[in-house]
């Protein structure tokens, strides 16, 4: 349990730092955009406003996910963190679309940039600060595997690329004076933001829609259960990843004539074997069954080989 508490503390450290950083960066970016009128800097400024929103969402999400189980949420609050990641990615998509519209307009009606030196200095400062934050987040992710902080870091990595894009844009404009470079770079930055957001959304949907664990992981679980003494077989293995822990359930086939106590011991051994795969960071539910009964099975319902015509009708049994 102490490991979980350290994890919680690290997650909060990363979330808090991210929030403070986002607040201070947004002022710099808005000021730099106001000074120069650069489209690339407007993309960075919108990105900065979003950093505040998304860090706030992460902040709330991590706090929510860290709450212990209660009467109303007996599976814990782990998905709160993934929901936070999902929402911030949606915000990114919206902002990306608005920026594409703005940059397209500037491409058609270009306007010259001002105060290029100040813009370069401010962008360079932001870049350094964000790079430090990404370093801290990577360190915390290696220890906690938090999906919200992974999403938040993804956002700040995008932020670094945005800042580099702004520097390139201001540099080229300063050297060549060509005023369509800036909206072009603004446009590519917006497309990049949307691409990143779509990746976060896809990852979050795995968790939110209870996608099954990968085949290799399912195979490891089956092997661990079959290795326990007294286990004849298992079926209807069903798994999901709730971000903070995995939920694993299955039907365990055993000798039907042993005592309830002996059967319970076999269930406990199978549970321990699965928990050992995840360092205890999982919840296992076992349904004990006398081997050989023909129950209504999920495995049979979803087996691709069984077409509706050849599938056997419902059989008596308690599953
Ligand atoms: Zn028990
Ligand atoms: Zn069964």
């Amino acid at each position: 349990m102490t490991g979980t508490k350290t994890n919680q503390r690290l997650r909060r450290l990363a979330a808090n730092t991210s929030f403070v950083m986002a607040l201070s960066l947004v002022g710099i970016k808005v000021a730099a955009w106001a000074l120069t009128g650069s489209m690339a800097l407007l993309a960075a400024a919108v990105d900065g406003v979003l950093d505040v929103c998304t860090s706030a969402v992460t902040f709330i999400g991590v706090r929510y996910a860290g709450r212990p189980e209660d009467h109303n949420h007996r599976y814990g609050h782990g998905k709160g963190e993934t929901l936070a990641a999902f929402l911030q990615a949606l915000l990114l998509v919206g902002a990306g679309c608005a920026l594409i519209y703005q940059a397209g307009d500037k491409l058609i009606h270009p306007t010259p940039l001002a105060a290029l030196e100040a813009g370069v200095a401010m962008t360079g400062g932001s870049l350094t600060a964000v790079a430090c934050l990404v370093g801290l987040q990577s360190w915390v992710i290696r220890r906690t595997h938090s999906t919200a902080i992974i999403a938040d870091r993804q956002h700040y990595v995008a932020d670094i690329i945005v800042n580099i894009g702004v520097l390139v844009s201001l540099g080229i404009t300063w050297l060549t004076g060509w005023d369509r470079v800036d909206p072009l770079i603004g446009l590519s930055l917006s497309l990049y933001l949307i691409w990143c957001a779509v990746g976060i959304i896809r990852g979050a949907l795995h968790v939110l829609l209870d996608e099954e664990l990968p085949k290799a992981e399912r195979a490891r679980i089956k092997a661990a259960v079959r290795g326990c003494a007294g286990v004849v077989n298992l079926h209807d293995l069903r798994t999901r990843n709730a971000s903070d822990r995995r939920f694993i359930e299955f039907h365990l086939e055993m000798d039907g004539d042993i005592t309830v106590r002996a059967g319970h011991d076999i269930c406990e051994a199978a549970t321990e074997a699965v928990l050992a795969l995840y360092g205890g960071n999982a919840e296992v539910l076992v349904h004990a069954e006398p081997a050989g009964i023909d129950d209504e099975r999920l495995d049979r319902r979803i087996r691709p080989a069984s077409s509706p015509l050849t599938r056997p009708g419902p059989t008596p049994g308690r599953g």
Side-chain angles (χ1 to χ4, degrees):
M1 277 297 107
T2 43
T4 313
K5 272 184 183 152
T6 312
N7 265 358
Q8 276 306 320
R9 211 165 295 146
L10 285 176
R11 282 171 192 229
R12 285 189 184 184
L13 171 73
N16 292 349
T17 313
S18 163
F19 189 60
V20 172
M21 173 74 84
L23 269 180
S24 36
L25 284 179
V26 70
I28 298 173
K29 284 174 174 166
V30 169
W33 165 65
L35 280 173
T36 60
S38 153
M39 255 325 289
L41 257 171
L42 178 62
V46 169
D47 191 57
V49 173
L50 265 173
D51 283 341
V52 176
C53 300
T54 57
S55 294
V57 172
T58 304
F59 186 77
I60 296 162
V62 167
R63 260 152 212 278
Y64 183 81
R67 282 158 53 167
E69 296 85 349
D70 56 30
H71 288 290
N72 242 353
H73 301 91
R74 289 168 191 261
Y75 289 101
H77 300 82
K79 279 188 183 179
E81 208 176 317
T82 311
L83 187 61
F86 183 74
L87 291 178
Q88 75 187 55
L90 283 186
L91 279 173
L92 263 177
V93 171
C97 292
L99 284 171
I100 285 174
Y101 176 80
Q102 276 291 322
D105 188 57
K106 281 272 175 161
L107 209 53
I108 299 163
H109 313 105
T111 43
L113 303 183
L116 285 171
E117 298 83 357
V120 168
M122 289 161 118
T123 310
S126 306
L127 189 60
T128 314
V130 172
C132 294
L133 178 64
V134 167
L136 171 73
Q137 287 179 324
S138 304
W139 183 73
V140 172
I141 288 165
R142 268 204 303 281
R143 279 157 185 79
T144 66
H145 307 286
S146 157
T147 47
I149 296 172
I150 288 172
D152 204 37
R153 178 184 62 172
Q154 180 88 330
H155 190 81
Y156 280 110
V157 168
D159 202 70
I160 287 180
I161 293 164
V162 165
N163 278 315
I164 291 173
V166 171
L167 281 179
V168 169
S169 171
L170 297 181
I172 292 178
T173 310
W174 185 57
L175 287 173
T176 67
W178 196 49
D179 47 16
R180 278 194 170 87
V181 170
D182 186 65
L184 264 180
I185 288 183
L187 199 64
S188 358
L189 290 179
S190 317
L191 288 172
Y192 177 75
L193 283 180
I194 292 177
W195 181 72
C196 289
V198 168
I200 295 171
I201 288 173
R202 290 174 65 176
L205 284 180
H206 288 323
V207 172
L208 292 177
L209 296 181
D210 290 336
E211 194 170 291
E212 196 63 33
L213 296 179
K215 269 190 177 148
E217 221 172 310
R218 282 176 57 88
R220 271 212 307 280
I221 294 169
K222 285 181 183 173
V225 171
R226 286 181 180 133
C228 296
V231 171
V232 175
N233 202 359
L234 75 157
H235 60 264
D236 284 8
L237 170 63
R238 188 148 65 161
T239 63
R240 62 196 176 92
N241 180 357
S243 178
D244 61 335
R245 73 195 107 164
R246 283 159 176 80
F247 288 92
I248 295 153
E249 52 186 272
F250 50 87
H251 293 192
L252 193 58
E253 300 167 33
M254 59 186 76
D255 180 354
D257 296 324
I258 57 176
T259 62
V260 171
R261 189 177 304 279
H264 183 257
D265 286 345
I266 296 171
C267 290
E268 288 291 292
T271 301
E272 289 302 323
V274 174
L275 283 178
L277 295 176
Y278 296 103
N281 204 18
E283 281 190 30
V284 182
L285 182 68
V286 185
H287 168 85
E289 248 177 50
I293 69 159
D294 189 15
D295 57 342
E296 175 69 28
R297 292 185 185 183
L298 177 68
D299 282 349
R300 214 171 281 148
R301 276 211 305 278
I302 61 182
R303 189 163 297 156
S306 69
S307 80
L309 287 173
T310 57
R311 189 191 297 152
T315 44
R318 280 137 296 159

